[in-house]
Amino acid sequence: MSAETIAGLRRDRLEAFQAREAAAFIRARPGSAARMAEGAGHWLNGVPMHWMRDWPMPHLPVIARAEGARITDIDGHELDDFCLGDTGSMFGHSPAPVARAIHRQARRGLTYMLPSEAALAAGRLLAERFGPYLWQIATTATDANRFALRVARAVTGRPRILVFNGCYHGTVDEAMVELVDGATRGRAGLLGQMRDLSEGAVAVEFNDLSAVEAALEAGDIAAILTEPVMTNSCMVLPAPGFHDGLRALASRYGALLIMDETHTISSGPGGYSRVHGLRPDLFVVGKCVAGGMPAAAWGMTGAVAEAYGRADRARPPGHSGMGTTLSANPMQLACLVANLSEVMTEAAYDHMEKGAARLERGLAAAIARHGAPWHVVRVGARVEFICAPGPLRNGAEAALAHQPQVEAALHLGLLNRGSLIAPFHNMMLVSPATRKGAVDRLIRHFGAILSELFSRSVP
């Protein structure tokens, strides 16, 4: 790649576009700028959660309301929302059945650390939807993954976890590792890290079964923790036979297979595992599973539950290291029941799948029309455009495919034209509330931006 180009674009043209879009954003949102200047000073770095600083905007918009697949800021700008809370609202903002469940449960109490009728219904629905696992509720998928890893260590008596380079499973220590020159090390940039993370984890490349087997041969791997598709990077699909190979290797070497479906729940009503017949030992799902209410679920097979029961009975008295006070509160469970039974329907997924396929085709056509060295990838209702050739095979390739300067300019250009996509990568979700017109507008906006950036005329 020449110093004058980036991802096939002239760098000077990209920078000029970015400057124009930033100026347009500032002009259009004086109310948000004023409110942020007045009210953000009490928050560390101006935001209540530091990830909000990652949006590629001159300043953050202040949101007035979100409904369905639309979001409105205090300056009156209505946006087609394809970010949907970075998957947290994948089924739309405030689905009516979930909103009703919140209203009803609010009159009955918010938390009491005892089961409700909804708890009994939720367990049945989780098993029907995702498989006959024995379930527990957490508040975040990070916690669910952390607890699942404790179970794996307790059951196997082994200390280490295998993860894939470039993965993300929440802020779980074992997943905060990367491959550097073939060696596992803690990811660059970690704050407050007090121990060598490679003591508890080993990283290999996704789609590399030989590397998986080599790691398992050491005999100290308690579990393989993976997503069915790598999603928190430039998206990487599994190679044919990869998941069958993982299942076979885990069984052969006595490691447990943990499938984290927090993002790939976009694949269908039972997640990617149900759609493609995967057979994990432990299953994790979070973010959107309760319709936007903070909740996650993790389950284990009967065989794992029996082994875990033996380990639990044999341990000394004391804290297990698992659980949080507000997990499995009745509000979570009421929302979980409403979402699983009334929102995550076959009809909803059919709508999402068709809309996402339409989006995939439209974006790919725009890329081809302009001769951009980019590609599009989709998993169910989840679509990404990637500013590099594809398909990608592993985390190392995904890291090299990221083009932060290009992505930031595209995100801001789409936002200014009325389409919001996820800030961390080029992810777009189609919800049950997303209409064909919104999909077509996003395709049109994307094509218009590419026309400007790839134009052969001299600016």
Side-chain angles (χ1 to χ4, degrees):
M1 181 183 298
S2 135
E4 289 74 36
T5 64
I6 177 170
L9 296 170
R10 280 176 39 181
R11 191 178 297 271
D12 60 343
R13 180 173 289 168
L14 179 66
E15 291 172 351
F17 175 84
Q18 173 80 28
R20 289 194 302 273
E21 294 300 322
F25 179 92
I26 291 169
R27 285 194 304 271
R29 289 172 172 80
S32 287
R35 289 295 296 124
M36 289 298 293
E38 293 165 3
H42 296 288
W43 296 110
L44 177 66
N45 295 318
V47 289
M49 205 274 283
H50 72 94
W51 289 1
M52 294 180 184
R53 296 167 56 201
D54 292 338
W55 287 94
M57 308 169 188
H59 62 76
L60 292 175
V62 178
I63 302 306
R65 64 179 287 119
E67 185 176 3
R70 300 277 287 173
I71 196 166
T72 306
D73 66 26
I74 63 170
D75 288 285
H77 299 285
E78 293 190 14
L79 303 172
D80 295 320
D81 188 4
F82 291 89
C83 173
L84 294 168
D86 194 32
T87 307
S89 292
M90 189 176 79
F91 301 108
H93 295 289
S94 299
V98 175
R100 289 193 296 269
I102 291 171
H103 181 71
R104 287 193 301 268
Q105 186 59 48
R107 300 195 300 266
R108 301 170 181 165
L110 302 181
T111 188
Y112 27 79
M113 211 168 68
L114 288 166
S116 60
E117 285 288 344
L120 307 178
R124 174 181 55 79
L125 288 167
L126 285 166
E128 289 175 356
R129 181 58 52 87
F130 299 111
Y133 302 103
L134 293 166
W135 294 94
Q136 290 281 273
I137 297 296
T139 299
T140 69
T142 295
D143 282 340
N145 280 316
R146 186 179 292 121
F147 303 154
L149 293 179
R150 280 189 172 270
V151 168
R153 288 193 171 107
V155 166
T156 64
R158 298 175 179 179
R160 303 181 82 194
I161 305 301
L162 186 149
V163 295
F164 292 103
N165 185 41
C167 70
Y168 185 74
H169 298 282
T171 51
V172 175
D173 279 358
E174 291 85 352
M176 288 292 157
V177 293
E178 61 186 349
L179 268 180
V180 179
D181 298 327
T184 301
R185 75 172 192 187
R187 290 190 183 185
L190 291 176
L191 284 168
Q193 191 58 50
M194 296 179 61
R195 65 183 178 92
D196 180 359
L197 294 180
S198 67
E199 295 174 359
V202 58
V204 302
E205 291 291 3
F206 195 73
N207 282 325
D208 189 344
L209 289 173
S210 295
V212 171
E213 183 163 21
L216 291 173
E217 284 175 341
D220 61 352
I221 300 296
I224 300 167
L225 173 60
T226 187
E227 293 181 280
V229 175
M230 290 190 72
T231 62
N232 242 76
S233 56
C234 293
M235 197 151 59
V236 181
L237 300 177
F242 176 65
H243 284 302
D244 288 341
L246 274 188
R247 177 65 274 171
L249 288 172
S251 298
R252 184 184 310 161
Y253 289 96
L256 299 183
L257 180 59
I258 305 173
M259 203 62 69
D260 179 0
E261 292 248 28
T262 297
H263 285 166
T264 53
I265 194 175
S266 65
S267 302
Y272 191 101
S273 293
R274 220 45 188 306
V275 171
H276 294 275
L278 308 188
R279 296 174 292 111
D281 299 298
L282 293 104
F283 183 96
V284 173
V285 65
K287 284 198 178 181
C288 59
V289 72
M293 175 63 64
W298 60 287
M300 63 191 79
T301 64
V304 174
E306 288 180 14
Y308 174 62
R310 291 192 295 271
D312 192 34
R313 290 189 294 273
R315 69 182 175 92
H319 202 295
S320 68
M322 297 189 291
T324 58
T325 301
L326 294 178
S327 291
N329 68 68
M331 184 63 81
Q332 284 178 317
L333 291 159
C335 292
L336 186 60
V337 169
N339 199 55
L340 289 174
S341 61
E342 299 182 67
V343 179
M344 290 175 58
T345 63
E346 293 283 355
Y349 271 100
D350 183 62
H351 174 88
M352 294 158 69
E353 181 87 16
K354 288 177 179 175
R358 184 181 185 90
L359 178 58
E360 178 188 26
R361 289 192 300 270
L363 298 179
I367 287 169
R369 190 164 61 247
H370 292 90
W374 303 359
H375 72 287
V376 179
V377 63
R378 178 172 72 89
V379 174
R382 185 185 186 94
V383 182
E384 292 183 17
F385 62 85
I386 297 172
C387 303
L392 305 174
R393 295 172 298 179
N394 55 46
E397 291 185 2
L400 292 173
H402 269 301
Q403 299 291 348
Q405 186 178 358
V406 178
E407 293 164 7
L410 286 164
H411 290 200
L412 186 54
L414 289 169
L415 172 63
N416 283 340
R417 288 156 179 78
S419 299
L420 183 70
I421 70 173
F424 305 112
H425 35 76
N426 305 319
M427 187 273 289
M428 296 151 283
L429 287 165
V430 174
S431 81
T434 304
R435 297 292 171 251
K436 186 170 71 172
V439 171
D440 290 345
R441 284 191 292 272
L442 175 53
I443 294 168
R444 187 168 64 249
H445 297 153
F446 182 77
I449 291 170
L450 263 58
S451 292
E452 185 170 349
L453 291 175
F454 283 96
S455 171
R456 296 182 183 277
S457 62
V458 178

PDB file of all heavy atoms in Angstrom, residues 255-272:
ATOM      1  N   ALA A 255     -10.968 -31.840  27.218  1.00  0.00           N
ATOM      2  CA  ALA A 255     -11.266 -30.435  27.491  1.00  0.00           C
ATOM      3  C   ALA A 255     -12.747 -30.184  27.225  1.00  0.00           C
ATOM      4  O   ALA A 255     -13.374 -30.874  26.412  1.00  0.00           O
ATOM      5  CB  ALA A 255     -10.420 -29.526  26.602  1.00  0.00           C
ATOM      6  N   LEU A 256     -13.318 -29.204  27.903  1.00  0.00           N
ATOM      7  CA  LEU A 256     -14.708 -28.825  27.656  1.00  0.00           C
ATOM      8  C   LEU A 256     -14.767 -27.766  26.567  1.00  0.00           C
ATOM      9  O   LEU A 256     -13.858 -26.941  26.437  1.00  0.00           O
ATOM     10  CB  LEU A 256     -15.350 -28.291  28.938  1.00  0.00           C
ATOM     11  CG  LEU A 256     -15.403 -29.269  30.114  1.00  0.00           C
ATOM     12  CD1 LEU A 256     -16.122 -28.636  31.294  1.00  0.00           C
ATOM     13  CD2 LEU A 256     -16.069 -30.575  29.712  1.00  0.00           C
ATOM     14  N   LEU A 257     -15.832 -27.797  25.792  1.00  0.00           N
ATOM     15  CA  LEU A 257     -16.036 -26.826  24.715  1.00  0.00           C
ATOM     16  C   LEU A 257     -17.111 -25.841  25.142  1.00  0.00           C
ATOM     17  O   LEU A 257     -18.258 -26.234  25.393  1.00  0.00           O
ATOM     18  CB  LEU A 257     -16.442 -27.551  23.430  1.00  0.00           C
ATOM     19  CG  LEU A 257     -16.687 -26.671  22.204  1.00  0.00           C
ATOM     20  CD1 LEU A 257     -15.449 -25.867  21.829  1.00  0.00           C
ATOM     21  CD2 LEU A 257     -17.147 -27.528  21.021  1.00  0.00           C
ATOM     22  N   ILE A 258     -16.729 -24.575  25.254  1.00  0.00           N
ATOM     23  CA  ILE A 258     -17.653 -23.512  25.655  1.00  0.00           C
ATOM     24  C   ILE A 258     -17.946 -22.653  24.431  1.00  0.00           C
ATOM     25  O   ILE A 258     -17.035 -22.108  23.815  1.00  0.00           O
ATOM     26  CB  ILE A 258     -17.051 -22.628  26.768  1.00  0.00           C
ATOM     27  CG1 ILE A 258     -16.611 -23.488  27.955  1.00  0.00           C
ATOM     28  CG2 ILE A 258     -18.048 -21.563  27.194  1.00  0.00           C
ATOM     29  CD1 ILE A 258     -15.856 -22.709  29.018  1.00  0.00           C
ATOM     30  N   MET A 259     -19.228 -22.523  24.090  1.00  0.00           N
ATOM     31  CA  MET A 259     -19.637 -21.730  22.941  1.00  0.00           C
ATOM     32  C   MET A 259     -20.288 -20.445  23.433  1.00  0.00           C
ATOM     33  O   MET A 259     -21.339 -20.478  24.086  1.00  0.00           O
ATOM     34  CB  MET A 259     -20.610 -22.529  22.071  1.00  0.00           C
ATOM     35  CG  MET A 259     -20.683 -22.070  20.633  1.00  0.00           C
ATOM     36  SD  MET A 259     -19.124 -22.228  19.719  1.00  0.00           S
ATOM     37  CE  MET A 259     -18.941 -24.011  19.587  1.00  0.00           C
ATOM     38  N   ASP A 260     -19.661 -19.315  23.134  1.00  0.00           N
ATOM     39  CA  ASP A 260     -20.168 -18.004  23.512  1.00  0.00           C
ATOM     40  C   ASP A 260     -20.961 -17.439  22.334  1.00  0.00           C
ATOM     41  O   ASP A 260     -20.391 -17.032  21.327  1.00  0.00           O
ATOM     42  CB  ASP A 260     -19.002 -17.090  23.875  1.00  0.00           C
ATOM     43  CG  ASP A 260     -19.427 -15.677  24.253  1.00  0.00           C
ATOM     44  OD1 ASP A 260     -20.636 -15.390  24.238  1.00  0.00           O
ATOM     45  OD2 ASP A 260     -18.537 -14.864  24.563  1.00  0.00           O
ATOM     46  N   GLU A 261     -22.291 -17.418  22.471  1.00  0.00           N
ATOM     47  CA  GLU A 261     -23.175 -16.987  21.375  1.00  0.00           C
ATOM     48  C   GLU A 261     -23.737 -15.580  21.616  1.00  0.00           C
ATOM     49  O   GLU A 261     -24.803 -15.245  21.097  1.00  0.00           O
ATOM     50  CB  GLU A 261     -24.312 -17.994  21.215  1.00  0.00           C
ATOM     51  CG  GLU A 261     -23.856 -19.339  20.694  1.00  0.00           C
ATOM     52  CD  GLU A 261     -24.363 -19.617  19.295  1.00  0.00           C
ATOM     53  OE1 GLU A 261     -24.598 -18.649  18.539  1.00  0.00           O
ATOM     54  OE2 GLU A 261     -24.532 -20.808  18.976  1.00  0.00           O
ATOM     55  N   THR A 262     -23.033 -14.770  22.373  1.00  0.00           N
ATOM     56  CA  THR A 262     -23.541 -13.440  22.696  1.00  0.00           C
ATOM     57  C   THR A 262     -23.775 -12.601  21.444  1.00  0.00           C
ATOM     58  O   THR A 262     -24.715 -11.808  21.395  1.00  0.00           O
ATOM     59  CB  THR A 262     -22.577 -12.740  23.666  1.00  0.00           C
ATOM     60  OG1 THR A 262     -22.550 -13.494  24.877  1.00  0.00           O
ATOM     61  CG2 THR A 262     -23.016 -11.325  23.972  1.00  0.00           C
ATOM     62  N   HIS A 263     -22.945 -12.755  20.433  1.00  0.00           N
ATOM     63  CA  HIS A 263     -23.153 -12.030  19.181  1.00  0.00           C
ATOM     64  C   HIS A 263     -23.837 -12.886  18.118  1.00  0.00           C
ATOM     65  O   HIS A 263     -24.641 -12.387  17.337  1.00  0.00           O
ATOM     66  CB  HIS A 263     -21.822 -11.515  18.635  1.00  0.00           C
ATOM     67  CG  HIS A 263     -21.280 -10.337  19.376  1.00  0.00           C
ATOM     68  ND1 HIS A 263     -19.988  -9.894  19.247  1.00  0.00           N
ATOM     69  CD2 HIS A 263     -21.870  -9.496  20.258  1.00  0.00           C
ATOM     70  CE1 HIS A 263     -19.791  -8.844  20.018  1.00  0.00           C
ATOM     71  NE2 HIS A 263     -20.923  -8.579  20.641  1.00  0.00           N
ATOM     72  N   THR A 264     -23.514 -14.175  18.080  1.00  0.00           N
ATOM     73  CA  THR A 264     -24.044 -15.004  17.000  1.00  0.00           C
ATOM     74  C   THR A 264     -25.459 -15.478  17.259  1.00  0.00           C
ATOM     75  O   THR A 264     -26.002 -16.269  16.471  1.00  0.00           O
ATOM     76  CB  THR A 264     -23.119 -16.211  16.746  1.00  0.00           C
ATOM     77  OG1 THR A 264     -22.896 -16.895  17.982  1.00  0.00           O
ATOM     78  CG2 THR A 264     -21.794 -15.755  16.175  1.00  0.00           C
ATOM     79  N   ILE A 265     -26.095 -14.971  18.298  1.00  0.00           N
ATOM     80  CA  ILE A 265     -27.539 -15.157  18.452  1.00  0.00           C
ATOM     81  C   ILE A 265     -28.269 -14.533  17.265  1.00  0.00           C
ATOM     82  O   ILE A 265     -29.448 -14.810  17.009  1.00  0.00           O
ATOM     83  CB  ILE A 265     -28.018 -14.568  19.793  1.00  0.00           C
ATOM     84  CG1 ILE A 265     -29.429 -15.047  20.137  1.00  0.00           C
ATOM     85  CG2 ILE A 265     -27.930 -13.066  19.788  1.00  0.00           C
ATOM     86  CD1 ILE A 265     -29.897 -14.597  21.510  1.00  0.00           C
ATOM     87  N   SER A 266     -27.548 -13.708  16.488  1.00  0.00           N
ATOM     88  CA  SER A 266     -28.094 -13.158  15.242  1.00  0.00           C
ATOM     89  C   SER A 266     -28.401 -14.238  14.216  1.00  0.00           C
ATOM     90  O   SER A 266     -29.105 -13.985  13.237  1.00  0.00           O
ATOM     91  CB  SER A 266     -27.088 -12.170  14.623  1.00  0.00           C
ATOM     92  OG  SER A 266     -25.896 -12.853  14.233  1.00  0.00           O
ATOM     93  N   SER A 267     -27.898 -15.461  14.420  1.00  0.00           N
ATOM     94  CA  SER A 267     -27.991 -16.502  13.391  1.00  0.00           C
ATOM     95  C   SER A 267     -29.368 -17.142  13.281  1.00  0.00           C
ATOM     96  O   SER A 267     -29.718 -17.685  12.234  1.00  0.00           O
ATOM     97  CB  SER A 267     -26.967 -17.602  13.682  1.00  0.00           C
ATOM     98  OG  SER A 267     -25.665 -17.077  13.728  1.00  0.00           O
ATOM     99  N   GLY A 268     -30.127 -17.138  14.369  1.00  0.00           N
ATOM    100  CA  GLY A 268     -31.424 -17.794  14.358  1.00  0.00           C
ATOM    101  C   GLY A 268     -31.943 -17.916  15.769  1.00  0.00           C
ATOM    102  O   GLY A 268     -31.235 -17.603  16.731  1.00  0.00           O
ATOM    103  N   PRO A 269     -33.180 -18.377  15.946  1.00  0.00           N
ATOM    104  CA  PRO A 269     -33.795 -18.418  17.280  1.00  0.00           C
ATOM    105  C   PRO A 269     -33.004 -19.198  18.320  1.00  0.00           C
ATOM    106  O   PRO A 269     -33.082 -18.900  19.499  1.00  0.00           O
ATOM    107  CB  PRO A 269     -35.155 -19.082  17.015  1.00  0.00           C
ATOM    108  CG  PRO A 269     -35.448 -18.767  15.589  1.00  0.00           C
ATOM    109  CD  PRO A 269     -34.120 -18.780  14.891  1.00  0.00           C
ATOM    110  N   GLY A 270     -32.219 -20.178  17.928  1.00  0.00           N
ATOM    111  CA  GLY A 270     -31.408 -20.927  18.876  1.00  0.00           C
ATOM    112  C   GLY A 270     -29.934 -20.624  18.767  1.00  0.00           C
ATOM    113  O   GLY A 270     -29.106 -21.378  19.292  1.00  0.00           O
ATOM    114  N   GLY A 271     -29.602 -19.518  18.079  1.00  0.00           N
ATOM    115  CA  GLY A 271     -28.207 -19.187  17.879  1.00  0.00           C
ATOM    116  C   GLY A 271     -27.564 -20.026  16.795  1.00  0.00           C
ATOM    117  O   GLY A 271     -28.179 -20.907  16.189  1.00  0.00           O
ATOM    118  N   TYR A 272     -26.298 -19.754  16.543  1.00  0.00           N
ATOM    119  CA  TYR A 272     -25.550 -20.464  15.514  1.00  0.00           C
ATOM    120  C   TYR A 272     -25.472 -21.955  15.827  1.00  0.00           C
ATOM    121  O   TYR A 272     -25.553 -22.801  14.934  1.00  0.00           O
ATOM    122  CB  TYR A 272     -24.146 -19.861  15.425  1.00  0.00           C
ATOM    123  CG  TYR A 272     -23.323 -20.291  14.241  1.00  0.00           C
ATOM    124  CD1 TYR A 272     -23.197 -19.456  13.135  1.00  0.00           C
ATOM    125  CD2 TYR A 272     -22.642 -21.511  14.217  1.00  0.00           C
ATOM    126  CE1 TYR A 272     -22.418 -19.828  12.046  1.00  0.00           C
ATOM    127  CE2 TYR A 272     -21.870 -21.887  13.141  1.00  0.00           C
ATOM    128  CZ  TYR A 272     -21.761 -21.042  12.049  1.00  0.00           C
ATOM    129  OH  TYR A 272     -20.995 -21.417  10.970  1.00  0.00           O
TER     130      TYR A 272
END
